[in-house]
Amino acid sequence: MTKHILCAVDLSHIDTEDKLLRAAADLAKFYGASLSVVSVVPDYGMSIVGSYFRDGTMKEAVAAADQQLHDFVRDTLPDFGRVQHIVEVGTIYEMILGAIKKSKADLVVVGAHKPDLIDRLQGPNSARVARYAPCSVLVYRG
């Protein structure tokens, strides 16, 4: 039985993520499950890249992402009730996998998109999450 659902949203595609979040909320209502929503702020990748930004830039980006995530969830699910908001920094699929463990989710809902050439070579984040997640994964194609 599903008790906790984690929905991974990409705040850079907020115009299409509302359908994904509503689908996760519908599943949570159906199962009587709790809902967490995670979004990942990519890190600089290499420390030398981060050295070109002023101190506090990443902290500001995380705070802005947290506010945007709260606003997005509130606007998309105004009558849902309590939702846990998680903002992580790092490699997207790794942070989602970490959020699964942290939130103790037993179902993850991730969005799918048409893969670009780079995705075919490296594998999209949703495919990596589906491959390595310790729980069931629903790949939503809106």
Side-chain angles (χ1 to χ4, degrees):
M1 181 172 172
T2 301
K3 294 180 181 178
H4 189 82
I5 296 174
L6 176 69
C7 179
V9 297
D10 181 352
L11 293 174
S12 64
H13 297 297
I14 207 163
D15 54 326
T16 58
E17 296 291 88
D18 58 335
K19 292 176 187 171
L20 171 69
L21 182 55
R22 282 193 201 102
D26 288 345
L27 285 168
K29 286 179 188 175
F30 177 80
Y31 286 113
S34 55
L35 178 65
S36 293
V37 181
V38 63
S39 188
V40 179
V41 177
D43 62 7
Y44 297 127
M46 297 186 333
S47 59
I48 192 166
V49 175
S51 70
Y52 288 98
F53 292 91
R54 65 179 171 74
D55 287 343
T57 299
M58 185 57 75
K59 188 175 182 179
E60 291 172 10
V62 170
D66 185 58
Q67 184 62 54
Q68 188 178 8
L69 182 62
H70 276 79
D71 292 345
F72 173 64
V73 171
R74 183 194 64 240
D75 294 346
T76 306
L77 306 175
D79 301 321
F80 183 81
R82 187 173 181 278
V83 175
Q84 179 186 22
H85 301 78
I86 303 169
V87 175
E88 297 287 356
V89 177
T91 305
I92 294 169
Y93 76 93
E94 289 176 349
M95 296 298 101
I96 294 171
L97 292 170
I100 293 168
K101 291 177 185 171
K102 196 181 295 185
S103 68
K104 298 181 178 150
D106 46 18
L107 175 64
V108 180
V109 180
V110 293
H113 64 284
K114 291 186 179 179
D116 295 330
L117 177 59
I118 194 71
D119 289 332
R120 293 177 202 272
L121 298 174
Q122 294 180 321
N125 289 307
S126 58
R128 288 181 176 159
V129 170
R131 189 176 310 125
Y132 298 111
C135 62
S136 296
V137 177
L138 173 75
V139 180
Y140 179 80
R141 296 188 185 275

